[in-house]
């Protein structure tokens, strides 16, 4: 099976702009989670989607939003970018039917806001 | 408060040596504990997952232990290699429908020749 893919891998944006990141989960996985990772902060949970519905949400402002399509692919959008949004954004897919609920991560999108 | 604390924050060892990383948690109710390896600029990769009833699990040169009574876990790396240089993250999953994950900040390991 192909792994989790994320596009683009690198992105440079200017403050005030918006950005959309994409994630394609492992075939058959219907749950997609998004994380923000910055140096010294560890992975911060953004939200989780399952069957096109947001199931969990972290403590991020409303500028961060997401959605999931019928084929389980997911997009994350950040509006009105701030310098502090510069981070590695990771997507993880999982099969909720698994008892361990293991998450499989993509390579991430490195976002730089200038 | 649900927390996962890892120590040390960073570690430098020589190639071929062993090392042990620690993870203490206060997450309740507990479902499982995972160790991930994350190379710089890449996504985390799962090393082990342990449930309440498991106290040891190995994955090659990686051996994780879990003491559910004291809420402590350790990851032991045997005969380290240069490729072991990475961040090692401990994650505890809460039991329940949401299966919330509580992430540690990780231990940064550098293996020098």
């Amino acid at each position: 099976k192909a792994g989790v893919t994320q596009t683009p891998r690198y992105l440079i944006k200017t403050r005030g702009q918006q950005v959309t990141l994409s994630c394609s989960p492992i075939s058959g996985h219907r749950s997609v989670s998004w994380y923000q990772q910055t140096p010294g902060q560890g992975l911060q949970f953004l939200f989780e989607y399952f069957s096109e519905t947001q199931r969990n949400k972290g403590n991020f402002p409303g500028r961060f939003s997401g959605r999931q399509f019928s084929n389980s692919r997911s997009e994350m959008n950040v509006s009105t970018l701030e310098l502090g949004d510069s981070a590695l954004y990771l997507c993880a897919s999982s099969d909720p039917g698994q008892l361990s609920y293991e998450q499989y991560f993509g390579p991430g999108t490195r976002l730089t806001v200038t | 408060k649900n927390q996962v604390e890892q120590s040390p924050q960073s570690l430098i060892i020589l190639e071929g040596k062993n090392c042990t990383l620690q993870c203490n948690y206060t997450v309740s109710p507990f479902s499982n504990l995972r160790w991930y390896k994350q190379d710089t600029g890449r996504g985390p990769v799962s090393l082990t997952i342990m449930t309440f009833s498991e106290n040891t699990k190995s994955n090659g040169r990686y051996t994780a232990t879990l003491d559910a009574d004291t809420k402590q876990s350790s990851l032991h790396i045997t005969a380290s290699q240069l490729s072991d240089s990475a961040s090692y993250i401990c994650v505890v999953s809460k039991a329940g429908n949401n299966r919330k994950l509580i992430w540690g900040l990780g231990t940064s390991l550098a293996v020098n020749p």
Side-chain angles (χ1 to χ4, degrees):
Chain A
K1 283 184 178 180
V4 178
T5 59
Q6 292 187 245
T7 57
R9 291 294 312 280
Y10 302 92
L11 204 51
I12 299 176
K13 290 287 189 178
T14 304
R15 270 183 304 176
Q17 289 185 315
Q18 74 165 16
V19 66
T20 299
L21 312 181
S22 180
C23 171
S24 292
I26 292 172
S27 178
H29 285 189
R30 293 185 294 157
S31 174
V32 173
S33 298
W34 287 91
Y35 294 86
Q36 180 195 68
Q37 187 176 34
T38 54
Q41 291 293 318
L43 272 76
Q44 302 291 315
F45 173 72
L46 281 157
F47 28 66
E48 177 191 9
Y49 284 87
F50 174 73
S51 293
E52 302 179 65
T53 301
Q54 188 179 88
R55 187 159 70 169
N56 285 309
K57 188 177 187 301
N59 298 322
F60 276 81
R63 300 185 297 109
F64 293 81
S65 63
R67 59 176 175 170
Q68 187 179 34
F69 303 94
S70 59
N71 61 359
S72 294
R73 189 178 69 86
S74 177
E75 286 183 347
M76 190 193 98
N77 183 275
V78 187
S79 63
T80 319
L81 284 166
E82 301 177 358
L83 294 178
D85 296 334
S86 294
L88 180 67
Y89 289 88
L90 293 162
C91 161
S93 80
S94 57
D95 176 4
Q98 280 187 343
L99 190 63
S100 64
Y101 199 51
E102 183 166 359
Q103 294 194 318
Y104 299 85
F105 285 84
T109 293
R110 171 72 64 184
L111 171 65
T112 301
V113 182
T114 61
Chain B
K1 186 177 179 181
N2 294 303
Q3 286 185 313
V4 174
E5 295 184 349
Q6 294 186 243
S7 62
Q9 185 175 1
S10 62
L11 185 62
I12 301 173
I13 62 173
L14 292 176
E15 185 179 12
K17 297 296 185 182
N18 303 335
C19 68
T20 300
L21 314 180
Q22 300 290 343
C23 173
N24 296 336
Y25 63 93
T26 59
V27 179
S28 181
F30 174 89
S31 177
N32 59 62
L33 184 146
R34 313 143 186 240
W35 283 94
Y36 282 90
K37 177 188 178 187
Q38 184 177 22
D39 293 316
T40 301
R42 309 290 294 180
V45 174
S46 178
L47 294 174
T48 63
I49 297 178
M50 289 184 292
T51 60
F52 185 87
S53 59
E54 298 173 297
N55 53 25
T56 302
K57 184 163 278 190
S58 293
N59 178 357
R61 294 180 296 102
Y62 301 100
T63 299
T65 65
L66 173 65
D67 185 334
D69 291 332
T70 62
K71 298 188 176 181
Q72 296 180 325
S73 176
S74 64
L75 180 68
H76 186 75
I77 304 175
T78 303
S80 61
Q81 301 176 358
L82 298 179
S83 59
D84 292 331
S85 296
S87 179
Y88 292 85
I89 308 172
C90 175
V91 188
V92 177
S93 176
K94 286 189 70 172
N97 290 335
N98 286 340
R99 305 194 221 194
K100 184 177 180 180
L101 299 179
I102 313 299
W103 291 77
L105 294 181
T107 291
S108 178
L109 175 64
V111 180
N112 290 340

